């Protein structure tokens, strides 16, 4: 499957994320239009980047956010609940590190 929103990723990351998205296909309810890689950014930056990136996402589409900070999971899910956004999250291992994946659906 082709993921144009991942065009900015290097080949190894693109391949990893493509596999992850294929495994989560049943959970993805809206088209993903934007991607932000917040790996390496400390808390609260992944949440702040999610908020900014969501401004670019049209209604009925989704943002795919990748983060390495484990606190981002709590922050982003709480933000989504507070703002009545549906989010799907999971954790994977890549390059010896935990990757926190978020697909945030904009109503």
């Amino acid at each position: 499957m082709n993921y144009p929103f991942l065009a900015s990723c290097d080949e190894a990351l693109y391949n990893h994320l493509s596999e992850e998205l294929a495994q989560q296909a049943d959970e993805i309810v809206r088209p993903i239009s934007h991607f932000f890689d917040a790996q390496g950014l400390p808390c609260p930056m992944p949440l702040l980047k999610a908020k900014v990136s969501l401004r670019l996402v049209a209604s009925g589409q989704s943002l795919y956010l990748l983060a390495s900070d484990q606190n981002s999971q709590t922050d982003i899910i709480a933000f989504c609940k507070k703002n009545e956004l549906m989010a799907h999250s999971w954790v994977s291992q890549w390059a010896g590190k935990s990757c926190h994946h978020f697909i945030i659906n904009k109503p």
Side-chain angles (χ1 to χ4, degrees):
M1 187 169 250
N2 187 19
Y3 299 105
F5 55 87
L6 296 176
S8 62
C9 298
D10 65 33
E11 185 177 355
L13 182 58
Y14 181 92
N15 290 336
H16 172 71
L17 297 179
S18 295
E19 289 174 20
E20 288 294 321
L21 288 169
Q23 292 175 6
Q24 300 294 322
D26 291 343
E27 301 295 331
I28 299 172
V29 297
R30 293 201 170 106
I32 299 170
S33 62
H34 289 78
F35 170 74
F36 191 87
D37 185 355
Q39 292 183 98
L41 297 178
C43 192
M45 290 307 293
L47 175 59
L48 296 175
K49 295 297 184 181
K51 288 179 180 180
V52 170
S53 297
L54 280 167
R55 293 180 193 156
L56 304 172
V57 176
S59 179
Q61 296 193 337
S62 301
L63 167 67
Y64 181 20
L65 181 80
L66 187 63
S68 55
D69 184 89
Q70 71 181 31
N71 294 326
S72 62
Q73 184 133 11
T74 304
D75 292 348
I76 291 171
I77 296 302
F79 165 78
C80 290
K81 285 181 181 177
K82 179 181 177 185
N83 291 282
E84 298 180 359
L85 299 170
M86 189 172 73
H88 174 64
S89 67
W90 71 97
V91 180
S92 72
Q93 294 294 314
W94 185 68
K97 299 177 186 173
S98 292
C99 294
H100 300 270
H101 303 257
F102 304 90
I103 297 178
I104 304 170
N105 301 308
K106 195 165 183 182

